[in-house]
Amino acid sequence: MRFSEETLALVNKIIRRYPEGKQKSALLPVLHLAQAEFDGWLSPDVMDYVAGLLAIKPIEVYEVATFYSMYNLKPVGKCLIEVCQTGPCWLRGSDDIVHHLESKLGIKVGETTPDGMFTLKTVECLGSCGTAPMLQCGSKFHENLTTDKVDTLLENLKSTNQRTSYMR
Amino acid sequence: MPKKLLLEHIDVPSIETFETYRRHGGYASVEKALKTMTPDAVTEEVKKSGLRGRGGAGFPAGLKWSFLDRKSEKPRYLVCNADESEPGTFKDRYLMEKIPHLLIEGMITASYALGAKTSYIYIRGEYMYIVRILERAIEEAYAAGFLGQHILGTPYSLDLYVHPGAGAYICGEETALLESLEGKRGNPRLKPPFPAVAGLYAAPTVVNNVETIAAVVSIVNGGGDEYAKVGLGKSTGTKLISASGHINKPGVYEIELGLPVEEFIFSDEYCGGIWKGRKLKAVVAGGSSVPILPAHLILKTAKGEQRLMTYESLADGGFISGTMLGSGGFIVMDETACIVRNLWTFSRFYHHESCGQCSPCREGTGWMEKVLHRIEHGHGHMHDIDLLVDVAKKIEGNTICPLGDAAAWPVASAIRHFREEFEYHVKYPEKVANPKHFELEPFRSERLELSNA
């Protein structure tokens, strides 16, 4: 297991943002890169690799990876769909969006479609309350959602057939 | 025209580029500060301005700066808190996305005042697309000589970096943010020592919200005294309000502090009134953490005075009949909103976001979520309502950081002002079986109807 040369260069650039000996500060940004490069989740092997790169103990990576909600500790579908469900989104109909996605994809929240294409997740406030309801897919915010907009998005994701990532 | 100190140029095409921003007077505060002012003189202006922290706590910014340990031999740091995660709040995102150079400019001027040679913008990971916007703006600022070695030919040098988080509300708490920036779990630290003495890498550090740092630009340009003339009393300046919920025009509005709440909700210049011609039921005025108020108490204080958008007026009446300006996350609910269900989503949020360090918060937030789920879904008991009050009371004040209080206040206030609605859920489980119960028929107080009869 190894990052591409391009990513390794980026990792070294990130490490240089912090004072000497404080390379552990690069952990969160580097885990984002790792998740993007290694199939959208952080396997134990990936975490061990990152620990080696930053010269820290594997446990230091595990305890961080398990704390933050954007790191996936299990494989996810090619497209991870994260629907905000907190108050302001709920007031504007996020429940309807979640139900529509569940019936459209034939799965419940937390599940992945059998073809491995979609994982559906609910998340807490993403700072899009003025454009609610919303969902995040990759780094993109899809806002002022209607069921029609959701249908179009799903079609687009299917035809693009690319793994979504926060880093793109 | 209302005064705009932050968003004056927000609608100028290509204002996100250095060139356009500069053409509209951008980076003047850096020139003024670095060439004509000492760092302490900049801090003095911020003190005079009366600017209060815009992240939610409202602590005077100049005072916070003055606490920075300037005798320490360690490097000093300025860290911008862009971990905006308080439900109902999306103003920092708007500012960074639309006019990123305003934040960069504020960071340079503020870093100069504090003597920081390296500064960081810690931004929530979900705003990854804004990381790229900020990094592009920073690159432009380096290229134009506003960052890097010997800025504008002066002896002052500064490096500025953007650091993404990875999904954790708690990292908006400043010591948790610093832990996270050091590559650790976001567990808040015990204070003291405060970050001003031992912050990032145990060095003197100031952590300020995006909007606070952006406000420094107009304070330095126009002077602290001029800034203090805007606003009302101790609520000086302008504030970005994130308006959401059941209103006609959700969005971010820059208001002069002192604006009547009623005007903010009903004027076409701001929220544009309640959507679908419905009635106002309740408002959470400063982000999910602050006490919810029913319509009559958000429009007027208990004394019958007009409620204003200021730190003081919103807090009038304490927690009995008042609330807080907080982060300016203004969530409006119409008559069809279910207070219990909305509260349940908030409690679920705090349970999800508790770092787990302190037992009252880790356990209490979970209990509150479960009990609220039970009541909302028609399985509750009457004594559950007081149980919630009791759990909230036991969390409040008993945790290392304010997340515990933030989880307790919404519960306590919702029951204080809307107890009958909780009782209704217990009494009529069949009527709340449909999750959209109050959309079918808005809740009507039986007590009120009896007393009117």
Side-chain angles (χ1 to χ4, degrees):
Chain A
M1 172 169 309
R2 202 180 138 82
F3 274 135
S4 68
E5 288 308 317
E6 197 187 335
T7 309
L8 272 177
L10 187 52
V11 168
N12 286 322
K13 194 177 150 194
I14 291 171
I15 290 173
R16 283 197 300 273
R17 293 174 185 169
Y18 312 98
E20 217 176 317
K22 305 294 183 194
Q23 76 282 0
K24 183 173 171 177
S25 275
L27 182 53
L28 267 64
V30 172
L31 283 177
H32 280 302
L33 294 176
Q35 182 160 281
E37 192 146 323
F38 302 117
D39 301 325
W41 70 293
L42 299 174
S43 68
D45 285 349
V46 168
M47 289 191 270
D48 292 351
Y49 172 66
V50 169
L53 274 182
L54 297 179
I56 56 179
K57 295 187 209 85
I59 181 72
E60 294 176 89
V61 181
Y62 306 158
E63 63 180 12
V64 161
T66 52
F67 185 84
Y68 296 93
S69 62
M70 288 172 77
Y71 300 131
N72 302 314
L73 301 173
K74 279 187 258 172
V76 291
K78 241 181 187 174
C79 302
L80 176 60
I81 295 178
E82 303 177 281
V83 189
C84 177
Q85 60 170 354
T86 316
C89 266
W90 167 71
L91 288 171
R92 305 281 296 205
S94 61
D95 277 1
D96 297 337
I97 299 299
V98 173
H99 294 149
H100 183 71
L101 276 160
E102 283 184 333
S103 75
K104 205 69 194 180
L105 298 173
I107 54 172
K108 292 278 170 205
V109 169
E111 294 177 350
T112 301
T113 52
D115 61 359
M117 188 66 196
F118 296 104
T119 297
L120 180 62
K121 191 177 163 188
T122 49
V123 291
E124 300 298 345
C125 189
L126 293 185
S128 188
C129 325
T131 39
M134 69 84 66
L135 66 81
Q136 178 165 24
C137 186
S139 68
K140 201 166 161 36
F141 281 19
H142 299 268
E143 307 176 281
N144 294 311
L145 286 178
T146 58
T147 50
D148 283 348
K149 275 196 191 174
V150 169
D151 291 347
T152 313
L153 171 67
L154 292 180
E155 285 310 315
N156 288 344
L157 289 171
K158 265 186 219 160
S159 63
T160 316
N161 195 23
Q162 242 196 0
R163 180 170 287 285
T164 57
S165 157
Y166 298 123
M167 305 310 285
R168 264 198 294 278
Chain B
M1 269 296 280
K3 195 106 178 154
K4 295 255 189 294
L5 299 177
L6 298 167
L7 305 184
E8 191 187 348
H9 301 300
I10 196 100
D11 291 325
V12 173
S14 77
I15 194 69
E16 73 282 1
T17 64
F18 177 85
E19 203 200 322
T20 307
Y21 180 75
R22 182 87 174 122
R23 216 172 33 224
H24 286 82
Y27 288 94
S29 78
V30 176
E31 287 184 299
K32 183 174 177 184
L34 268 59
K35 291 186 172 170
T36 71
M37 297 168 82
T38 64
D40 287 348
V42 177
T43 303
E44 204 46 46
E45 292 304 317
V46 174
K47 268 193 190 166
K48 274 196 256 173
S49 74
L51 173 68
R52 295 166 68 167
R54 299 297 196 222
F59 190 80
L63 197 58
K64 192 174 192 180
W65 285 17
S66 71
F67 292 154
L68 188 73
D69 182 1
R70 289 172 167 80
K71 295 199 183 92
S72 166
E73 284 172 9
K74 291 181 179 166
R76 298 172 211 155
Y77 295 103
L78 171 65
V79 179
C80 172
N81 185 345
D83 191 58
E84 181 170 66
S85 312
E86 172 87 1
T89 316
F90 45 98
K91 65 188 176 73
D92 296 339
R93 173 187 166 208
Y94 181 72
L95 190 150
M96 292 187 287
E97 184 177 335
K98 298 276 182 189
I99 187 160
H101 282 287
L102 183 64
L103 175 60
I104 312 299
E105 177 178 355
M107 284 298 286
I108 301 167
T109 304
S111 296
Y112 171 72
L114 298 167
K117 300 274 190 281
T118 307
S119 295
Y120 297 97
I121 298 170
Y122 181 103
I123 183 168
R124 68 179 300 184
E126 293 91 338
Y127 287 176
M128 201 62 86
Y129 75 98
I130 302 177
V131 171
R132 290 191 277 276
I133 293 173
L134 290 173
E135 283 181 341
R136 208 173 303 134
I138 288 172
E139 257 174 54
E140 287 181 313
Y142 268 102
F146 282 92
L147 277 169
Q149 295 296 306
H150 304 298
I151 296 171
L152 303 176
T154 68
Y156 183 63
S157 303
L158 172 70
D159 284 313
L160 176 60
Y161 303 106
V162 185
H163 181 105
Y169 167 72
I170 191 58
C171 291
E173 193 282 333
E174 61 179 13
T175 62
L177 183 152
L178 295 173
E179 287 287 297
S180 182
L181 185 47
E182 291 180 7
K184 302 175 199 158
R185 295 165 75 91
N187 286 350
R189 299 172 181 169
L190 267 173
K191 293 190 270 193
F194 287 89
V197 175
L200 183 63
Y201 312 127
T205 305
V206 166
V207 183
N208 279 147
N209 170 259
V210 171
E211 187 187 346
T212 311
I213 289 171
V216 169
V217 171
S218 52
I219 290 169
V220 169
N221 282 337
D225 288 333
E226 280 303 305
Y227 186 88
K229 285 183 194 158
V230 182
L232 188 69
K234 284 187 176 171
S235 295
T236 62
T238 62
K239 174 91 190 80
L240 298 181
I241 305 292
S242 319
S244 68
H246 294 155
I247 47 176
N248 283 315
K249 290 171 59 198
V252 176
Y253 298 99
E254 180 172 10
I255 62 152
E256 190 171 333
L257 288 166
L259 182 79
V261 172
E262 189 167 2
E263 188 180 339
F264 182 68
I265 298 175
F266 294 101
S267 157
D268 279 338
E269 199 169 328
Y270 304 106
C271 301
I274 311 304
W275 75 346
K276 302 182 182 178
R278 291 179 187 160
K279 286 195 205 111
L280 173 66
K281 178 174 184 175
V283 171
V284 178
S288 60
S289 306
V290 311
I292 187 171
L293 288 182
H296 67 279
L297 281 177
I298 189 67
L299 299 175
K300 285 200 166 78
T301 67
K303 288 177 268 176
E305 288 165 1
Q306 192 177 43
R307 185 86 75 180
L308 308 175
M309 300 286 274
T310 62
Y311 291 95
E312 295 76 21
S313 177
L314 283 166
D316 189 292
F319 276 8
I320 303 299
S321 61
T323 181
M324 291 164 79
L325 178 62
S327 64
F330 199 89
I331 310 165
V332 180
M333 287 167 234
D334 72 23
E335 57 194 319
T336 69
C338 173
I339 299 297
V340 179
R341 195 173 186 89
N342 185 66
L343 181 63
W344 167 51
T345 76
F346 284 178
S347 289
R348 183 179 60 203
F349 172 85
Y350 290 108
H351 180 212
H352 184 262
E353 301 300 340
S354 173
C355 80
Q357 201 174 198
C358 311
S359 310
C361 173
R362 180 187 62 241
E363 303 301 322
T365 51
W367 277 106
M368 292 196 300
E369 185 202 341
K370 285 190 199 100
V371 174
L372 279 163
H373 181 277
R374 180 156 86 191
I375 297 174
E376 166 60 15
H377 291 84
H379 309 299
H381 311 282
M382 277 303 171
H383 60 250
D384 281 344
I385 302 169
D386 284 327
L387 177 64
L388 282 171
V389 175
D390 188 48
V391 174
K393 220 179 266 172
K394 282 172 177 144
I395 300 173
E396 189 182 352
N398 292 320
T399 55
I400 287 178
C401 87
L403 192 142
D405 299 342
W409 294 340
V411 173
S413 59
I415 296 174
R416 187 180 310 124
H417 298 299
F418 297 94
R419 181 178 273 268
E420 209 186 339
E421 205 168 308
F422 288 78
E423 292 168 356
Y424 179 92
H425 280 73
V426 175
K427 267 196 256 174
Y428 306 109
E430 71 286 353
K431 289 196 182 172
V432 295
N434 183 327
K436 300 194 178 200
H437 35 273
F438 293 152
E439 275 179 58
L440 301 175
E441 195 192 346
F443 173 77
R444 305 253 180 262
S445 164
E446 289 175 358
R447 245 176 256 159
L448 208 65
E449 276 168 17
L450 276 176
S451 66
N452 286 346

